[in-house]
Amino acid sequence: MSRKNSIILAAVVFMVMGVVMAVSAFGFQIYYGDPELLRIAIFGEVLTAVFIVFWIRSKGSFARVGFSTLKVRGLVWLVPVFLVVLYQFGLIVMEFVSRFNQLSSSTVQLLAIIFVTTLFVGFNEEVTFRGVLLRMLKPDVHPYRAIVISALLFSSFHLLNLIAFIPPGAMLFQLGNTFLFGLFFALVALKLNNLWPLIIFHALWDFVSIASDVLAVNLTIPALITQVFVIVSIVVQLVLLKRHDLSHLKPTSLTSAKI
């Protein structure tokens, strides 16, 4: 995909999310941090996913934005956090099952909406930031620059939450947190050569983070473990990056892929 088309895709993704936040805050008085916001966000995420698929199919190929042959060795960096998020997901499911008869139909519906919405969030954000934008930055030539810039863009994307009145302190924490995860996701994406594992992890992470608030499940310790691992992993991977073969990222080495 050309640089111009990559920037257009990213601009549309930013714009749609900005509209979602504005409609939620000013149209329905639902502000950031309230899970009810996802009842509105789901429409924006579905629309974004449809646009992304259409745009990539018409302007490029999915193989060139991160849907090529999976490099299994790259999973070594993702498996530990995947196990943690599956543990968190299990806690959410057990709490849901144990309290099912006590939950209102509205709460059950909201949890279903959260699950579906976060699936789309995982797809949209990974394809946009670790697919289109990361590949546009030529990671095979300038890997460090590509990784850092893509992480900064991912972090800045969350500034749109200011439209929905996220508290300043929470905004600063989220900017730092998303920058770290942006670095981690970019490093893993380059090694995996396929975005599906990251899409699934991202979707599950967002789901358990939001659903835990709805069901009042304390996930502080597993979340802290994930944070520590991510930081250590970033340092190690950045040190070892020069030794890693990124030749599979060159355009000539990519084959077509369907989604």
Side-chain angles (χ1 to χ4, degrees):
M1 183 181 293
S2 70
R3 189 180 188 87
K4 175 183 176 182
N5 288 328
S6 298
I7 292 173
I8 291 173
L9 182 146
V12 171
V13 172
F14 272 71
M15 180 185 69
V16 172
M17 185 51 58
V19 170
V20 166
M21 291 298 172
V23 170
S24 176
F26 299 102
F28 293 90
Q29 287 72 54
I30 300 175
Y31 306 117
Y32 185 86
D34 185 345
E36 292 289 334
L37 189 151
L38 274 76
R39 294 184 187 273
I40 301 167
I42 189 171
F43 295 101
E45 295 297 342
V46 171
L47 178 63
T48 298
V50 171
F51 169 74
I52 286 174
V53 172
F54 163 77
W55 194 253
I56 293 176
R57 282 188 175 275
S58 61
K59 305 297 182 180
S61 73
F62 278 93
R64 295 186 181 278
V65 294
F67 291 95
S68 298
T69 304
L70 177 66
K71 303 291 183 180
V72 179
R73 290 181 62 182
L75 289 171
V76 69
W77 299 103
L78 191 61
V79 167
V81 290
F82 222 121
L83 292 175
V84 174
V85 81
L86 286 176
Y87 169 72
Q88 293 175 303
F89 184 76
L91 293 178
I92 295 295
V93 171
M94 288 190 294
E95 183 69 16
F96 175 77
V97 171
S98 67
R99 293 173 50 192
F100 181 76
N101 292 329
Q102 304 169 10
L103 298 174
S104 67
S105 58
S106 177
T107 300
V108 173
Q109 181 190 65
L110 177 59
L111 288 168
I113 290 173
I114 293 170
F115 183 76
V116 173
T117 304
T118 51
L119 287 177
F120 281 103
V121 169
F123 176 80
N124 294 340
E125 294 188 2
E126 290 309 313
V127 174
T128 300
F129 295 99
R130 263 66 67 179
V132 174
L133 293 178
L134 182 60
R135 297 301 179 102
M136 181 192 76
L137 294 165
K138 302 183 184 302
D140 56 309
V141 180
H142 306 290
Y144 291 103
R145 185 179 71 180
I147 289 166
V148 172
I149 293 177
S150 68
L152 285 171
L153 290 172
F154 180 57
S155 180
S156 65
F157 176 67
H158 292 79
L159 284 169
L160 293 170
N161 293 332
L162 287 169
I163 299 174
F165 300 102
I166 181 175
M171 183 75 266
L172 288 174
F173 174 80
Q174 190 177 72
L175 287 175
N177 198 44
T178 50
F179 177 70
L180 285 175
F181 270 91
L183 291 174
F184 176 72
F185 286 155
L187 285 160
V188 174
L190 295 183
K191 292 178 173 63
L192 288 177
N193 200 39
N194 189 291
L195 292 176
W196 281 118
L198 281 173
I199 289 170
I200 296 170
F201 172 79
H202 192 150
L204 286 175
W205 179 264
D206 282 355
F207 173 73
V208 299
S209 298
I210 302 171
S212 63
D213 288 339
V214 175
L215 295 174
V217 177
N218 189 344
L219 300 179
T220 302
I221 293 178
L224 182 59
I225 292 172
T226 300
Q227 297 279 4
V228 172
F229 176 83
V230 165
I231 293 171
V232 173
S233 173
I234 289 169
V235 174
V236 175
Q237 289 188 77
L238 286 174
V239 171
L240 297 177
L241 187 59
K242 288 184 178 180
R243 302 180 184 179
H244 194 78
D245 181 14
L246 298 178
S247 60
H248 58 274
L249 299 174
K250 295 180 180 179
T252 55
S253 69
L254 297 175
T255 55
S256 61
K258 293 182 179 181
I259 187 170

Short mmCIF file of all heavy atoms in Angstrom, two decimals, residues 3-41:
data_model
loop_
_atom_site.label_atom_id
_atom_site.label_comp_id
_atom_site.label_asym_id
_atom_site.label_seq_id
_atom_site.Cartn_x
_atom_site.Cartn_y
_atom_site.Cartn_z
N ARG A 3 2.23 5.14 0.57
CA ARG A 3 2.28 6.00 1.76
C ARG A 3 1.01 6.84 1.87
O ARG A 3 0.44 6.98 2.94
CB ARG A 3 3.52 6.90 1.68
CG ARG A 3 3.81 7.70 2.95
CD ARG A 3 5.04 8.56 2.78
NE ARG A 3 5.43 9.19 4.02
CZ ARG A 3 6.23 8.63 4.92
NH1 ARG A 3 6.72 7.42 4.70
NH2 ARG A 3 6.55 9.26 6.04
N LYS A 4 0.58 7.39 0.74
CA LYS A 4 -0.62 8.22 0.71
C LYS A 4 -1.85 7.45 1.18
O LYS A 4 -2.62 7.92 2.03
CB LYS A 4 -0.85 8.76 -0.70
CG LYS A 4 -2.14 9.55 -0.86
CD LYS A 4 -2.34 9.99 -2.30
CE LYS A 4 -3.69 10.69 -2.48
NZ LYS A 4 -3.91 11.08 -3.90
N ASN A 5 -2.04 6.24 0.65
CA ASN A 5 -3.21 5.44 1.02
C ASN A 5 -3.13 4.98 2.47
O ASN A 5 -4.16 4.85 3.14
CB ASN A 5 -3.34 4.25 0.09
CG ASN A 5 -3.79 4.65 -1.31
OD1 ASN A 5 -4.54 5.61 -1.47
ND2 ASN A 5 -3.34 3.93 -2.31
N SER A 6 -1.92 4.74 2.97
CA SER A 6 -1.75 4.37 4.37
C SER A 6 -2.16 5.51 5.29
O SER A 6 -2.84 5.30 6.31
CB SER A 6 -0.29 3.98 4.64
OG SER A 6 0.09 2.85 3.88
N ILE A 7 -1.76 6.72 4.94
CA ILE A 7 -2.10 7.90 5.74
C ILE A 7 -3.60 8.16 5.69
O ILE A 7 -4.21 8.51 6.72
CB ILE A 7 -1.31 9.12 5.25
CG1 ILE A 7 0.19 8.93 5.54
CG2 ILE A 7 -1.81 10.40 5.91
CD1 ILE A 7 1.08 10.00 4.95
N ILE A 8 -4.21 7.98 4.53
CA ILE A 8 -5.66 8.17 4.41
C ILE A 8 -6.40 7.19 5.32
O ILE A 8 -7.34 7.56 6.03
CB ILE A 8 -6.13 8.01 2.95
CG1 ILE A 8 -5.62 9.18 2.10
CG2 ILE A 8 -7.65 7.92 2.87
CD1 ILE A 8 -5.89 9.03 0.62
N LEU A 9 -5.97 5.93 5.30
CA LEU A 9 -6.62 4.92 6.15
C LEU A 9 -6.52 5.32 7.62
O LEU A 9 -7.51 5.30 8.35
CB LEU A 9 -5.97 3.55 5.92
CG LEU A 9 -6.58 2.39 6.72
CD1 LEU A 9 -6.53 1.10 5.91
CD2 LEU A 9 -5.85 2.17 8.06
N ALA A 10 -5.31 5.70 8.05
CA ALA A 10 -5.12 6.09 9.44
C ALA A 10 -5.96 7.31 9.80
O ALA A 10 -6.54 7.37 10.90
CB ALA A 10 -3.64 6.37 9.71
N ALA A 11 -6.04 8.28 8.89
CA ALA A 11 -6.81 9.49 9.15
C ALA A 11 -8.29 9.17 9.34
O ALA A 11 -8.95 9.74 10.22
CB ALA A 11 -6.63 10.47 7.99
N VAL A 12 -8.81 8.26 8.54
CA VAL A 12 -10.22 7.86 8.66
C VAL A 12 -10.46 7.16 10.00
O VAL A 12 -11.47 7.42 10.67
CB VAL A 12 -10.64 6.95 7.49
CG1 VAL A 12 -12.03 6.36 7.73
CG2 VAL A 12 -10.63 7.72 6.19
N VAL A 13 -9.54 6.29 10.39
CA VAL A 13 -9.66 5.60 11.68
C VAL A 13 -9.68 6.60 12.83
O VAL A 13 -10.51 6.51 13.74
CB VAL A 13 -8.51 4.58 11.86
CG1 VAL A 13 -8.52 4.01 13.28
CG2 VAL A 13 -8.61 3.46 10.83
N PHE A 14 -8.77 7.58 12.79
CA PHE A 14 -8.73 8.62 13.82
C PHE A 14 -10.05 9.41 13.82
O PHE A 14 -10.61 9.69 14.88
CB PHE A 14 -7.56 9.58 13.57
CG PHE A 14 -6.27 9.15 14.20
CD1 PHE A 14 -5.55 8.07 13.72
CD2 PHE A 14 -5.75 9.84 15.29
CE1 PHE A 14 -4.35 7.68 14.30
CE2 PHE A 14 -4.55 9.47 15.88
CZ PHE A 14 -3.85 8.38 15.39
N MET A 15 -10.53 9.77 12.64
CA MET A 15 -11.73 10.59 12.52
C MET A 15 -12.96 9.87 13.07
O MET A 15 -13.76 10.46 13.82
CB MET A 15 -11.96 10.98 11.06
CG MET A 15 -13.19 11.85 10.84
SD MET A 15 -13.51 12.16 9.08
CE MET A 15 -14.00 10.51 8.56
N VAL A 16 -13.12 8.61 12.71
CA VAL A 16 -14.29 7.85 13.17
C VAL A 16 -14.29 7.75 14.69
O VAL A 16 -15.32 7.94 15.34
CB VAL A 16 -14.32 6.45 12.53
CG1 VAL A 16 -15.43 5.60 13.17
CG2 VAL A 16 -14.55 6.55 11.03
N MET A 17 -13.13 7.46 15.27
CA MET A 17 -13.07 7.35 16.72
C MET A 17 -13.34 8.70 17.39
O MET A 17 -13.98 8.76 18.45
CB MET A 17 -11.70 6.81 17.16
CG MET A 17 -11.60 6.55 18.66
SD MET A 17 -12.95 5.54 19.32
CE MET A 17 -12.77 4.06 18.31
N GLY A 18 -12.87 9.77 16.79
CA GLY A 18 -13.16 11.09 17.33
C GLY A 18 -14.65 11.39 17.32
O GLY A 18 -15.19 11.94 18.29
N VAL A 19 -15.32 11.01 16.26
CA VAL A 19 -16.77 11.21 16.16
C VAL A 19 -17.49 10.38 17.21
O VAL A 19 -18.44 10.86 17.86
CB VAL A 19 -17.27 10.84 14.74
CG1 VAL A 19 -18.80 10.81 14.70
CG2 VAL A 19 -16.73 11.82 13.71
N VAL A 20 -17.05 9.14 17.40
CA VAL A 20 -17.66 8.27 18.42
C VAL A 20 -17.56 8.90 19.80
O VAL A 20 -18.54 8.94 20.56
CB VAL A 20 -16.98 6.88 18.42
CG1 VAL A 20 -17.36 6.09 19.68
CG2 VAL A 20 -17.37 6.09 17.18
N MET A 21 -16.38 9.41 20.13
CA MET A 21 -16.19 10.03 21.44
C MET A 21 -17.04 11.29 21.60
O MET A 21 -17.61 11.54 22.67
CB MET A 21 -14.72 10.36 21.66
CG MET A 21 -13.83 9.14 21.82
SD MET A 21 -14.32 8.16 23.27
CE MET A 21 -13.29 6.71 23.06
N ALA A 22 -17.14 12.05 20.54
CA ALA A 22 -17.93 13.28 20.59
C ALA A 22 -19.42 12.98 20.74
O ALA A 22 -20.12 13.61 21.55
CB ALA A 22 -17.69 14.11 19.32
N VAL A 23 -19.90 12.01 19.98
CA VAL A 23 -21.32 11.62 20.07
C VAL A 23 -21.64 11.09 21.46
O VAL A 23 -22.68 11.42 22.05
CB VAL A 23 -21.66 10.56 19.00
CG1 VAL A 23 -23.05 9.97 19.24
CG2 VAL A 23 -21.59 11.17 17.61
N SER A 24 -20.75 10.28 22.00
CA SER A 24 -20.97 9.71 23.33
C SER A 24 -21.02 10.81 24.40
O SER A 24 -21.94 10.84 25.22
CB SER A 24 -19.85 8.72 23.65
OG SER A 24 -19.99 8.24 24.96
N ALA A 25 -20.03 11.71 24.36
CA ALA A 25 -19.92 12.73 25.41
C ALA A 25 -20.96 13.83 25.28
O ALA A 25 -21.60 14.21 26.27
CB ALA A 25 -18.52 13.33 25.40
N PHE A 26 -21.13 14.33 24.07
CA PHE A 26 -22.01 15.50 23.89
C PHE A 26 -23.43 15.13 23.48
O PHE A 26 -24.36 15.90 23.72
CB PHE A 26 -21.39 16.44 22.84
CG PHE A 26 -20.05 16.97 23.25
CD1 PHE A 26 -18.88 16.45 22.71
CD2 PHE A 26 -19.94 17.98 24.19
CE1 PHE A 26 -17.63 16.93 23.09
CE2 PHE A 26 -18.69 18.48 24.58
CZ PHE A 26 -17.54 17.94 24.03
N GLY A 27 -23.58 13.95 22.89
CA GLY A 27 -24.92 13.53 22.49
C GLY A 27 -25.65 12.74 23.55
O GLY A 27 -26.86 12.87 23.71
N PHE A 28 -24.89 11.91 24.30
CA PHE A 28 -25.53 11.02 25.27
C PHE A 28 -25.02 11.23 26.70
O PHE A 28 -25.46 10.54 27.62
CB PHE A 28 -25.30 9.56 24.87
CG PHE A 28 -25.99 9.16 23.60
CD1 PHE A 28 -25.35 9.30 22.37
CD2 PHE A 28 -27.29 8.67 23.62
CE1 PHE A 28 -25.98 8.94 21.19
CE2 PHE A 28 -27.94 8.30 22.45
CZ PHE A 28 -27.28 8.45 21.22
N GLN A 29 -24.08 12.17 26.88
CA GLN A 29 -23.50 12.42 28.21
C GLN A 29 -22.93 11.15 28.84
O GLN A 29 -23.05 10.91 30.06
CB GLN A 29 -24.52 13.06 29.16
CG GLN A 29 -24.84 14.51 28.85
CD GLN A 29 -25.69 14.64 27.58
OE1 GLN A 29 -26.75 14.02 27.47
NE2 GLN A 29 -25.23 15.44 26.63
N ILE A 30 -22.32 10.32 28.01
CA ILE A 30 -21.63 9.13 28.48
C ILE A 30 -20.14 9.39 28.31
O ILE A 30 -19.67 9.61 27.19
CB ILE A 30 -22.05 7.87 27.70
CG1 ILE A 30 -23.55 7.63 27.84
CG2 ILE A 30 -21.28 6.65 28.19
CD1 ILE A 30 -24.07 6.48 26.99
N TYR A 31 -19.40 9.38 29.40
CA TYR A 31 -18.01 9.80 29.37
C TYR A 31 -17.05 8.63 29.47
O TYR A 31 -17.42 7.51 29.85
CB TYR A 31 -17.77 10.82 30.49
CG TYR A 31 -18.74 11.97 30.44
CD1 TYR A 31 -19.64 12.20 31.49
CD2 TYR A 31 -18.81 12.80 29.31
CE1 TYR A 31 -20.55 13.24 31.42
CE2 TYR A 31 -19.71 13.85 29.25
CZ TYR A 31 -20.59 14.05 30.30
OH TYR A 31 -21.50 15.08 30.22
N TYR A 32 -15.80 8.90 29.15
CA TYR A 32 -14.78 7.85 29.16
C TYR A 32 -14.68 7.22 30.55
O TYR A 32 -14.69 7.91 31.56
CB TYR A 32 -13.41 8.40 28.76
CG TYR A 32 -12.38 7.30 28.64
CD1 TYR A 32 -12.23 6.59 27.46
CD2 TYR A 32 -11.59 6.96 29.74
CE1 TYR A 32 -11.30 5.55 27.37
CE2 TYR A 32 -10.67 5.93 29.66
CZ TYR A 32 -10.54 5.22 28.47
OH TYR A 32 -9.64 4.20 28.38
N GLY A 33 -14.59 5.90 30.58
CA GLY A 33 -14.54 5.16 31.83
C GLY A 33 -15.84 4.47 32.15
O GLY A 33 -15.89 3.54 32.96
N ASP A 34 -16.92 4.92 31.49
CA ASP A 34 -18.23 4.29 31.66
C ASP A 34 -18.38 3.20 30.60
O ASP A 34 -18.37 3.50 29.40
CB ASP A 34 -19.33 5.34 31.50
CG ASP A 34 -20.72 4.78 31.80
OD1 ASP A 34 -20.87 3.54 31.84
OD2 ASP A 34 -21.66 5.59 31.96
N PRO A 35 -18.51 1.93 30.99
CA PRO A 35 -18.64 0.85 30.01
C PRO A 35 -19.81 1.04 29.04
O PRO A 35 -19.79 0.49 27.92
CB PRO A 35 -18.87 -0.40 30.88
CG PRO A 35 -18.21 -0.06 32.18
CD PRO A 35 -18.47 1.41 32.37
N GLU A 36 -20.81 1.84 29.45
CA GLU A 36 -21.95 2.09 28.57
C GLU A 36 -21.52 2.77 27.26
O GLU A 36 -22.22 2.72 26.27
CB GLU A 36 -22.98 2.97 29.29
CG GLU A 36 -23.67 2.30 30.46
CD GLU A 36 -24.65 1.22 30.02
OE1 GLU A 36 -25.16 1.30 28.88
OE2 GLU A 36 -24.89 0.28 30.81
N LEU A 37 -20.36 3.40 27.28
CA LEU A 37 -19.84 4.05 26.08
C LEU A 37 -19.71 3.07 24.92
O LEU A 37 -19.83 3.43 23.75
CB LEU A 37 -18.49 4.71 26.39
CG LEU A 37 -17.87 5.63 25.33
CD1 LEU A 37 -17.01 6.69 26.00
CD2 LEU A 37 -17.03 4.87 24.32
N LEU A 38 -19.49 1.79 25.25
CA LEU A 38 -19.30 0.80 24.19
C LEU A 38 -20.58 0.50 23.42
O LEU A 38 -20.53 -0.04 22.32
CB LEU A 38 -18.69 -0.49 24.76
CG LEU A 38 -17.15 -0.46 24.83
CD1 LEU A 38 -16.69 0.40 26.00
CD2 LEU A 38 -16.56 -1.84 24.90
N ARG A 39 -21.73 0.86 23.98
CA ARG A 39 -22.98 0.72 23.24
C ARG A 39 -22.99 1.64 22.02
O ARG A 39 -23.69 1.39 21.03
CB ARG A 39 -24.18 1.03 24.14
CG ARG A 39 -24.40 0.05 25.29
CD ARG A 39 -25.65 0.39 26.06
NE ARG A 39 -25.82 -0.42 27.25
CZ ARG A 39 -26.41 -1.62 27.28
NH1 ARG A 39 -26.89 -2.12 26.14
NH2 ARG A 39 -26.53 -2.29 28.40
N ILE A 40 -22.22 2.70 22.11
CA ILE A 40 -22.09 3.64 20.98
C ILE A 40 -20.86 3.28 20.16
O ILE A 40 -20.90 3.28 18.93
CB ILE A 40 -21.98 5.08 21.50
CG1 ILE A 40 -23.22 5.44 22.32
CG2 ILE A 40 -21.77 6.07 20.36
CD1 ILE A 40 -23.10 6.71 23.12
N ALA A 41 -19.78 2.95 20.84
CA ALA A 41 -18.52 2.67 20.16
C ALA A 41 -18.62 1.50 19.19
O ALA A 41 -17.91 1.47 18.18
CB ALA A 41 -17.42 2.40 21.18
#
